[in-house]
Amino acid sequence: MKEKLFDEFSSVSKEEWISKAVADLKGEEQLARLTWETENGISVKPFYTEEDKINSPYLDRLKEAFPKPAFYNEGAREWVNYTKINISGISQANADALEALERGADGVIFNLNGQDIEFNSLLKDIDLTICSIAFENCEAPLVLLKEYLSYLKDSQVPLDQVKGYLMQDPIARLTLTGQWDESELGDMAEAIRLTADLAGFRVLAISSQHFTDAGASHVQELALMLNSLTDYIDHLTDKGLTAQHVFENVAVLMGVGSDYFQEMAKFRAARVLLFELMGAYQVTLPIQDIFLMGVSSVWSKTLYDPYVNMLRNATESMAAILGGVNALYVAPHNSSFEKDSSFSRRIALNISHLLKEESYLDKVVDPAAGSYYLDYLTHTLAEKALTLFKQTEEAGGFIKSFTAGEIQQQIAVIRKQKETQIKRRKQVLVGTNRYPNTGEVITSNKAQSTEVSDVAFELLKPQRAASCFETLRLETDRNVEAGKKRPKVLLALFGNVTMRKARAAFAGEFFGIAGFAVEEKMFDSSEQAAKESITSDADIVVMCAADEDYEAESESFIQQLKREATDKQVVVAGFAESFASKLEEAGVDEFVHLKSDAISVLSDFQRKLF
């Protein structure tokens, strides 16, 4: 037996860790404050030990769950690194695909945008035995599939080596457009029959990304994905197929958000939940045959400071890979608001390369194994998702619940919670609601579309989480573009050096996120600050000082500005409840502080100044 390391050190119990933490934090109350609750209603403790280990059937199944390459000397893990080509012209799409494959892509997703294609031109010089090919947004998926099969036969491509998927998800389209065509289910059944010899090509690719992008929680995405699949099984078995046929052909595409550990746990939970569902239908497939694909979410991306999206893509991709995906599509950092470019596609593609070739994430089957925290998250997400799944099934299934508006209401509750956190800037979106680049100007044609269809029930509206701040700042830029003056903010600093600098930094960032011009000046006294503020060209004057300075001097400052500069808005950075009413009586227009609803406050200023 090999000698165990660190045997000379005694083990440390959880109670000992707690005692040490309480001592260092100076009280049990301080330790209790470090426990927080996620959007999924899961309480997360500050640390986990072996004593928190969960005996869970879900976790036991994960031991054999992760996809492995055919030959272990190629690595311990593998995943398909997809790129997406939006087809506008067949020859250009072929050239873009070949370029991506030369840059190391393992697969290509052709977004057809409803166009007819000619496979000899589209797939020219592409070796279909070594890369995966997928098709999305097909006008007639069954017709396209038959043409693809004919092309494969004519080209003498071995069918057992063909890999990829065909996206046909009528339920997802129902949630996004309100359109439903029962005949598509018959086409899906026929597609499954036609591809019996194509074990690696899945013709039932379904997506749960639209739940993520509509603001759903991880629990909701997991549960609603299972509900959607169950509805498909029920419909397709009515068409003469078995549940076995469905699971052999299904590929589940899930959105990847920015919550690193919960996203990792979500993919782990998805695999074991799908395995549980297979068991319920008496389907016999190995758990590693379940096909999961991670797709960059729109929800987590931003219009402003878009290069931060590259960083978001990197952490999201890492979470998906550690969560055990079979395939990954990293959307270009600018794809949520403009047409992507060769450069942005290349950067997106390289993220997976870096995680594989430089971070070596393909060398370990399950790097997250043994993490008590992740095991706890995985188990709890699975349990909560299974409960929600059963509730929806008892209510009649996904389609019935959605057309009744129940699912939309559930998602809306979580989305509003998230939006409140974002508006109060507790959830940070770098470059948007915190740390803005005030010199950045975006043209209005990049704004997110808010078109609404006229249907009998509410639709899901995929959106960027930052859209409320983007709309706010775009409103400023539009007015400036129309010839109006950009609002100017003067930060008037006086008094206590530490507090005035801290509050000036806060206030400058607060107004900067609306696209207002910000200038900072330090004064020796409040009298000097008031005098120079009156003669300045600022539209908003923000007092930045300590509470004791406000209590002693701010009342006269406000009264002087309101008397001699009636066109200026006077703001106090911070909020002291003990004398706030006195400042309101003096004429202060607003307090800005950590609990301020930034959208509400800044929108009011826009209405006053434009």
Side-chain angles (χ1 to χ4, degrees):
M1 179 183 291
K2 292 184 179 179
E3 181 182 354
K4 292 185 178 180
L5 298 177
F6 307 117
D7 273 354
E8 65 269 29
F9 298 102
S10 59
S11 61
V12 180
S13 69
K14 184 174 182 177
E15 285 303 315
E16 289 176 292
W17 277 113
I18 291 174
S19 297
K20 179 61 176 172
V22 168
D24 289 349
L25 294 171
K26 297 180 172 57
E28 292 183 3
E29 184 179 339
Q30 300 301 321
L31 178 61
R33 286 180 180 177
L34 296 180
T35 297
W36 57 284
E37 188 169 293
T38 72
E39 66 191 47
N40 301 293
I42 299 173
S43 293
V44 177
K45 295 179 289 189
F47 65 90
Y48 290 81
T49 70
E50 188 176 7
E51 293 172 45
D52 296 298
K53 189 174 180 179
I54 299 173
N55 292 319
S56 166
Y58 306 130
L59 301 176
D60 291 339
R61 294 190 184 101
L62 279 175
K63 294 175 182 178
E64 295 298 326
F66 285 68
K68 304 176 182 68
F71 302 100
Y72 279 92
N73 59 1
E74 294 178 0
R77 270 288 312 281
E78 69 172 353
W79 61 90
V80 179
N81 185 14
Y82 272 107
T83 189
K84 183 178 288 188
I85 306 298
N86 296 304
I87 297 179
S88 56
I90 299 299
S91 59
Q92 184 60 52
N94 173 258
D96 290 343
L98 289 171
E99 179 183 54
L101 292 168
E102 288 174 0
R103 289 175 171 172
D106 305 309
V108 177
I109 303 167
F110 287 108
N111 182 7
L112 275 62
N113 295 312
Q115 296 186 49
D116 294 328
I117 59 172
E118 198 278 307
F119 283 106
N120 286 310
S121 300
L122 182 66
L123 301 179
K124 182 181 178 182
D125 298 327
I126 296 177
D127 187 345
L128 300 182
T129 64
I130 62 172
C131 68
S132 298
I133 299 294
F135 304 98
E136 296 184 356
N137 288 330
C138 313
E139 189 69 29
L142 183 59
V143 173
L144 177 123
L145 178 63
K146 290 179 178 178
E147 292 175 353
Y148 186 47
L149 292 173
S150 178
Y151 170 80
L152 295 174
K153 182 179 179 180
D154 293 343
S155 302
Q156 298 183 336
V157 178
L159 297 185
D160 60 347
Q161 295 184 41
V162 175
K163 300 175 291 295
Y165 66 83
L166 173 63
M167 171 65 75
Q168 45 179 342
D169 192 354
I171 291 178
R173 188 168 66 252
L174 172 71
T175 67
L176 297 170
T177 68
Q179 298 173 5
W180 177 256
D181 185 351
E182 188 78 24
S183 67
E184 291 186 64
L185 297 168
D187 290 348
M188 293 171 73
E190 179 65 16
I192 290 174
R193 293 187 183 98
L194 288 173
T195 54
D197 295 329
L198 279 72
F201 190 83
R202 296 174 183 252
V203 293
L204 184 55
I206 64 173
S207 174
S208 63
Q209 181 190 355
H210 51 292
F211 301 129
T212 300
D213 290 340
S217 68
H218 305 91
V219 166
Q220 288 173 334
E221 184 185 5
L222 285 166
L224 295 175
M225 175 269 290
L226 295 174
N227 291 126
S228 299
L229 180 56
T230 301
D231 273 18
Y232 279 128
I233 294 171
D234 292 343
H235 282 96
L236 292 172
T237 50
D238 289 343
K239 304 292 182 184
L241 297 177
T242 65
Q244 182 88 17
H245 290 132
V246 175
F247 278 102
E248 287 173 346
N249 282 275
V250 74
V252 178
L253 281 63
M254 304 186 73
V256 190
S258 57
D259 195 321
Y260 183 70
F261 289 107
Q262 291 197 86
E263 288 295 333
M264 201 185 305
K266 179 185 77 176
F267 283 100
R268 292 158 64 85
R271 190 172 292 276
V272 293
L273 286 172
L274 285 165
F275 190 72
E276 290 289 314
L277 191 61
M278 285 196 301
Y281 283 99
Q282 298 182 333
V283 172
T284 55
L285 281 176
I287 190 171
Q288 61 266 31
D289 283 3
I290 294 170
F291 190 93
L292 286 177
M293 179 169 167
V295 180
S296 298
S297 67
V298 172
W299 177 264
S300 64
K301 305 307 182 294
T302 60
L303 171 64
Y304 286 92
D305 212 349
Y307 293 114
V308 179
N309 291 335
M310 295 181 185
L311 305 180
R312 297 182 179 109
N313 275 338
T315 55
E316 291 170 9
S317 299
M318 189 171 178
I321 292 166
L322 295 180
V325 295
N326 302 74
L328 178 67
Y329 167 59
V330 183
H333 64 275
N334 59 342
S335 61
S336 71
F337 57 83
E338 66 182 7
K339 184 179 179 181
D340 55 38
S341 62
S342 175
F343 170 76
S344 62
R345 288 196 300 272
R346 181 179 181 181
I347 293 297
L349 194 61
N350 283 348
I351 288 172
S352 184
H353 294 333
L354 288 169
L355 294 175
K356 181 180 288 187
E357 305 297 340
E358 296 194 20
S359 298
Y360 304 115
L361 295 189
D362 64 330
K363 304 304 181 191
V364 181
V365 173
D366 183 11
S371 167
Y372 305 125
Y373 173 45
L374 275 171
D375 282 353
Y376 167 72
L377 280 182
T378 302
H379 172 81
T380 311
L381 281 176
E383 286 284 297
K384 285 180 170 289
L386 195 56
T387 299
L388 180 57
F389 162 74
K390 290 178 180 178
Q391 290 172 355
T392 304
E393 288 303 302
E394 289 169 2
F398 183 89
I399 295 174
K400 183 177 180 180
S401 297
F402 189 86
T403 53
E406 296 168 5
I407 289 171
Q408 298 90 314
Q409 291 174 9
Q410 294 171 10
I411 292 175
V413 171
I414 299 298
R415 184 179 64 249
K416 287 175 182 177
Q417 291 175 2
K418 291 181 178 182
E419 288 174 345
T420 298
Q421 294 288 81
I422 291 167
K423 288 176 181 179
R424 292 182 176 175
R425 306 195 299 161
K426 289 184 177 180
Q427 181 180 341
V428 176
L429 299 172
V430 174
T432 302
N433 70 350
R434 295 291 306 272
Y435 318 112
N437 175 3
T438 55
E440 184 180 15
V441 177
I442 300 291
T443 54
S444 57
N445 64 348
K446 291 183 180 179
Q448 195 162 10
S449 172
T450 56
E451 293 181 7
V452 178
S453 300
D454 184 18
V455 293
F457 46 86
E458 183 184 356
L459 301 177
L460 295 183
K461 300 178 182 64
Q463 60 186 315
R464 294 185 291 270
S467 60
C468 56
F469 280 95
E470 293 169 354
T471 301
L472 179 80
R473 189 163 172 181
L474 283 168
E475 181 64 20
T476 298
D477 289 341
R478 286 193 192 102
N479 278 282
V480 173
E481 192 176 6
K484 296 181 181 179
K485 176 193 172 188
R486 185 177 296 275
K488 186 173 181 180
V489 180
L490 173 63
L491 306 179
L493 288 72
F494 60 89
N496 181 285
V497 174
T498 302
M499 285 306 299
R500 73 187 186 189
K501 289 295 292 181
R503 282 178 163 160
F506 173 85
E509 183 179 87
F510 188 92
F511 287 99
I513 60 180
F516 293 2
V518 179
E519 181 185 11
E520 180 181 310
K521 282 190 177 181
M522 287 184 282
F523 301 100
D524 294 330
S525 65
S526 62
E527 292 81 4
Q528 182 192 9
K531 183 178 179 180
E532 294 199 25
S533 295
I534 290 168
T535 59
S536 73
D537 61 347
D539 304 291
I540 302 170
V541 176
V542 185
M543 286 188 290
C544 303
D547 284 354
E548 56 268 24
D549 297 314
Y550 288 153
E551 190 167 18
E553 305 175 58
S554 60
E555 189 175 8
S556 60
F557 181 106
I558 296 167
Q559 290 172 340
Q560 187 177 353
L561 255 72
K562 285 299 179 181
R563 185 173 58 250
E564 300 181 36
T566 56
D567 60 327
K568 298 187 188 302
Q569 302 289 307
V570 183
V571 177
V572 172
F575 185 79
E577 192 172 353
S578 59
F579 55 86
S581 58
K582 186 168 69 172
L583 301 186
E584 288 171 349
E585 290 173 7
V588 69
D589 292 288
E590 189 61 74
F591 298 88
V592 295
H593 47 86
L594 290 172
K595 293 183 179 180
S596 294
D597 183 328
I599 296 296
S600 176
V601 171
L602 293 168
S603 295
D604 284 343
F605 278 118
Q606 284 182 329
R607 284 189 286 270
K608 292 174 183 177
L609 299 175
F610 287 128

